Amino acid sequence: MSLSLTGEVVGYIGRILLNKNPFDPTGNDFLLYLVPLTISPAFLSAAIYLCLACIVVIYGEQLSRFKPGTYTIIFCGCDIFALVLQALGGGIASGAKTQSKLQLGINVMLAGLSVQVASLTLFALMCAEFAWRLHSHRNAWRTDHAAIYNSRLFKSFLIGLCVATLTIFIRSVFRVAEVSGGFHGPLANNQVSFMVLEGAMIVVATSCLTGLHPGYCFQGAWHAADFSFGKGKVLDEDTEMS
């Protein structure tokens, strides 16, 4: 989250500098805007992916198709891959001197953004599948965390997490459409659509993840919902205290 928000601030500083000098011959301001704003939402996605793993532990690992660590490995792995492609493509595009190299950078960025959209789509489907399992096996939920998942605060957190996922997905789809049209396309030069479908979506997502922070909404059980990649052992509160 910290990396993402830092990247967003840096990216908008780049846009302000471009406003003062849109034809900067060095291309540094364009690079300062393009790369951070392209890759920053990937860090937001990673934060959401980590939350799912802990949610699974709170309700009960036996109800999930996969171990909590498996969710983290799959989706954060996809996120890192998308991140590398987006950063690489942005670097190529910003330093391109020929049309062919510019198009190469755009294509690499587009591939990274497409991976992110696909990852978010798969994540949403797996969340829905886990929610269905919870609905179908209510009697199998962990009883030691009943006070947490029955609380209004935790239910609000789940809603906020869904909203954050949706807004990041909308933003990612918009960026795919924007980049696919090229830097001279209509979407890339429409400030209203950028501020609504890029800026506003990130503001909503970060507000949900901050106002409904998991460290607060898990009511002290975030560390108790930790998991290990090796044996998948869950730490309960007594183990944590000892």
Side-chain angles (χ1 to χ4, degrees), residues 166-182:
L166 177 62
T167 51
I168 294 175
F169 178 79
I170 292 172
R171 174 265 172 199
S172 299
V173 171
F174 164 71
R175 289 293 272 182
V176 168
E178 180 190 38
V179 173
S180 63

Side-chain angles (χ1 to χ4, degrees), residues 24-128:
D24 176 23
T26 66
N28 292 335
D29 294 342
F30 182 71
L31 179 65
L32 190 67
Y33 139 70
L34 181 66
V35 175
L37 286 190
T38 300
I39 68 175
S40 291
F43 294 106
L44 287 179
S45 300
I48 291 176
Y49 298 153
L50 186 60
C51 286
L52 174 61
C54 290
I55 290 171
V56 168
V57 174
I58 287 293
Y59 282 102
E61 290 186 57
Q62 74 281 0
L63 295 169
S64 175
R65 185 178 297 275
F66 302 104
K67 291 289 185 180
T70 303
Y71 287 109
T72 302
I73 291 172
I74 292 175
F75 293 113
C76 286
C78 291
D79 221 36
I80 292 172
F81 182 55
L83 189 71
V84 171
L85 287 177
Q86 291 174 48
L88 181 62
I92 294 173
S94 62
K97 302 298 182 182
T98 63
Q99 182 61 35
S100 60
K101 193 168 184 180
L102 175 62
Q103 190 59 48
L104 174 63
I106 291 175
N107 291 340
V108 174
M109 284 180 61
L110 189 59
L113 288 165
S114 298
V115 169
Q116 187 172 349
V117 170
S119 177
L120 284 166
T121 302
L122 180 60
F123 174 77
L125 291 174
M126 295 186 79
C127 285

Side-chain angles (χ1 to χ4, degrees), residues 78-238:
C78 291
D79 221 36
I80 292 172
F81 182 55
L83 189 71
V84 171
L85 287 177
Q86 291 174 48
L88 181 62
I92 294 173
S94 62
K97 302 298 182 182
T98 63
Q99 182 61 35
S100 60
K101 193 168 184 180
L102 175 62
Q103 190 59 48
L104 174 63
I106 291 175
N107 291 340
V108 174
M109 284 180 61
L110 189 59
L113 288 165
S114 298
V115 169
Q116 187 172 349
V117 170
S119 177
L120 284 166
T121 302
L122 180 60
F123 174 77
L125 291 174
M126 295 186 79
C127 285
E129 195 261 352
F130 179 65
W132 174 254
R133 283 172 174 265
L134 291 178
H135 176 73
S136 304
H137 302 87
R138 294 188 65 90
N139 294 331
W141 296 9
R142 286 184 61 170
T143 56
D144 55 335
H145 288 151
I148 297 174
Y149 56 66
N150 286 327
S151 67
R152 183 175 297 179
L153 181 62
F154 190 78
K155 292 177 181 178
S156 299
F157 161 73
L158 295 179
I159 294 173
L161 199 66
C162 291
V163 172
T165 303
L166 177 62
T167 51
I168 294 175
F169 178 79
I170 292 172
R171 174 265 172 199
S172 299
V173 171
F174 164 71
R175 289 293 272 182
V176 168
E178 180 190 38
V179 173
S180 63
F183 296 130
H184 298 289
L187 281 178
N189 293 277
N190 188 317
Q191 295 302 307
V192 175
S193 62
F194 177 88
M195 294 308 297
V196 172
L197 297 175
E198 168 80 27
M201 294 299 102
I202 298 300
V203 168
V204 171
T206 53
S207 296
C208 288
L209 294 173
T210 302
L212 295 168
H213 194 286
Y216 173 65
C217 295
F218 273 69
Q219 303 170 57
W222 177 263
H223 293 294
D226 199 3
F227 55 90
S228 65
F229 289 103
K231 299 179 180 179
K233 182 180 178 181
V234 181
L235 302 178
D236 56 30
E237 293 182 8
D238 293 334

